[in-house]
Amino acid sequence: MIRQFAIAGAATLMTVAAHAQEAATVVFDGDVGDAAFAVENAIVGQGLVIDFVSHVGEMMTRTGADLDLGPSPVGEDAQIFVFCSATISREVMEADPMNVSHCPYGIFVAEIGGETLVGRRVYAEESMAPVNALLEGIVTEATE
C-alpha cells in the first residue's frame, strides 16, 4: 500500500513539474509600498478578501543575513497577496476538480533589477482561463 502511494506521489510530482507556470509582470511607476497599496485596493475593489499577505522580502532579508547571503533578491519590501474568488474557483473546479491545487491565488510586488514589479502566475491549463483573466484584470488596475 505504501509503495502504491510512493509511485502515485512520484507520478504526481512529474506531472506538476511538466505543468510549471510562468509569471507575467508589469513595471510599476513607484516604489514597492505604493505598488502594494495599489494591489490591495484592486483586489478589494473586485469584492475579494485578502486571506494573507506574505512578507517574502522581509523573510529573504532576515534569512539572507543569517546565511551570509546578502540582501534580498526581491527587495526588502516584497509581498505576495493571497486571496480567492468563490465564484471563479467554483467555475474552474467544475471544469477540472484538480484545479483545487491552484487555489488560493496570489499577486506579488517586488523590486527586481532596479524596477518595481507587480506580477502573477500564468496558468497554462485552458480551464484556468477565468483565473488568468481575474489576475490580469487586478494587475492591470493596480498598475494603471
Side-chain angles (χ1 to χ4, degrees), residues 123-138:
Y123 297 97
E125 299 89 345
E126 187 174 322
S127 61
M128 290 293 288
V131 174
N132 284 328
L134 172 69
L135 298 177
E136 181 177 345
I138 291 169

Side-chain angles (χ1 to χ4, degrees), residues 54-84:
S54 174
H55 298 276
V56 67
E58 291 176 11
M59 182 270 301
M60 295 297 287
T61 298
R62 183 181 64 254
T63 58
D66 292 344
L67 301 171
D68 292 324
L69 295 175
S72 168
V74 294
E76 189 171 310
D77 297 323
Q79 299 175 46
I80 304 169
F81 294 86
V82 178
F83 58 94
C84 196

Side-chain angles (χ1 to χ4, degrees), residues 43 48-54 80-85 103-105:
I43 293 168
L48 303 171
V49 175
I50 297 169
D51 295 321
F52 179 73
V53 179
S54 174
I80 304 169
F81 294 86
V82 178
F83 58 94
C84 196
S85 164
C103 192
Y105 316 117

